[in-house]
Amino acid sequence: MNHMVGLAVSAALLAGAVVACAAEDDSSEICSKRDVQLAKQLNDLPILDARPASATPTKSGSGCDASNGQAYATRSYRSPLARTEIVAFYEAALVQDGWQARPNSAVPPGTTRAATGINCYFTKVDGQFVHFAIPSSGSESANYILEVNGQGQDGWASSCTPE
C-alpha cells in the first residue's frame, strides 16, 4: 500500500511540474521572450525598493501584459505621508538614481497628474526606454503604488515620451 501512495505522490508531483512548465511558457504572442526578460530586469531596479522611512512594503509583482506586450514591475507601499511628500521623495530619488525628467512634462515638480501621479521620468534598461510612474489614486490615501513600464505595443502617452 505504501508503494501505491508513493507512486500517486510521484505522479502528482510530475503532473504539477508539467503544469508549472506550461504556465511559464504561457505568454501570449504579444509578450516576447525579450518582454518577459525585461520584466525580470525591471523587477530588480533599485528605485522600486527606495521608500521614505515611514513607508512599509505591502505587495510586489512583475510580468508582461498579454493585452499590449508591456513589461512591468510594481511595488505597493503604505505611508502616512501626504501625496505631495511621496512624489517629492521619488522625484529626488529618481534624479539621484540617474533617471531623466523629460521636458515635455508640463507638471510642476511636487505635484501630481491623473495620468502618472508624477512627472515624466525615463531611463534605459537593456537598451530600451522604461518609464517610472506613481499612478494617481484620485485621492489622498495611505497606500501608493510604484510602476516601471516598458513601452509595449500601445506606445507612450503623448504627454510623456522619452525623446
Side-chain angles (χ1 to χ4, degrees):
M1 195 70 145
N2 281 341
H3 180 68
M4 294 298 283
V5 171
L7 286 176
V9 169
S10 295
L13 290 174
L14 180 60
V18 170
V19 169
C21 288
E24 286 178 16
D25 290 337
D26 191 28
S27 57
S28 72
E29 292 179 21
I30 292 176
C31 289
S32 69
K33 288 183 181 183
R34 184 176 185 199
D35 297 325
V36 173
Q37 180 60 34
L38 178 60
K40 291 176 184 177
Q41 291 173 297
L42 297 181
N43 197 47
D44 292 336
L45 290 175
I47 194 67
L48 290 173
D49 295 319
R51 65 179 195 256
S54 63
T56 56
T58 58
K59 291 182 186 178
S60 67
S62 67
C64 180
D65 186 327
S67 68
N68 66 12
Q70 184 179 56
Y72 66 88
T74 64
R75 298 289 189 279
S76 298
Y77 293 96
R78 176 178 289 281
S79 176
L81 297 176
R83 185 81 170 180
T84 54
E85 293 173 289
I86 292 167
V87 169
F89 173 87
Y90 284 103
E91 286 179 332
L94 286 160
V95 170
Q96 185 175 0
D97 198 35
W99 290 68
Q100 298 293 312
R102 294 297 170 210
N104 62 344
S105 179
V107 179
T111 61
T112 61
R113 64 176 163 174
T116 62
I118 196 166
N119 282 332
C120 187
Y121 285 89
F122 286 90
T123 196
K124 279 192 173 182
V125 173
D126 196 21
Q128 301 175 63
F129 278 107
V130 296
H131 174 253
F132 178 91
I134 302 176
S136 177
S137 64
S139 65
E140 287 289 324
S141 170
N143 299 312
Y144 67 94
I145 298 171
L146 305 179
E147 292 180 355
V148 178
N149 301 298
Q151 183 172 1
Q153 293 185 351
D154 295 341
W156 303 110
S158 61
S159 61
C160 180
T161 58
E163 295 182 309

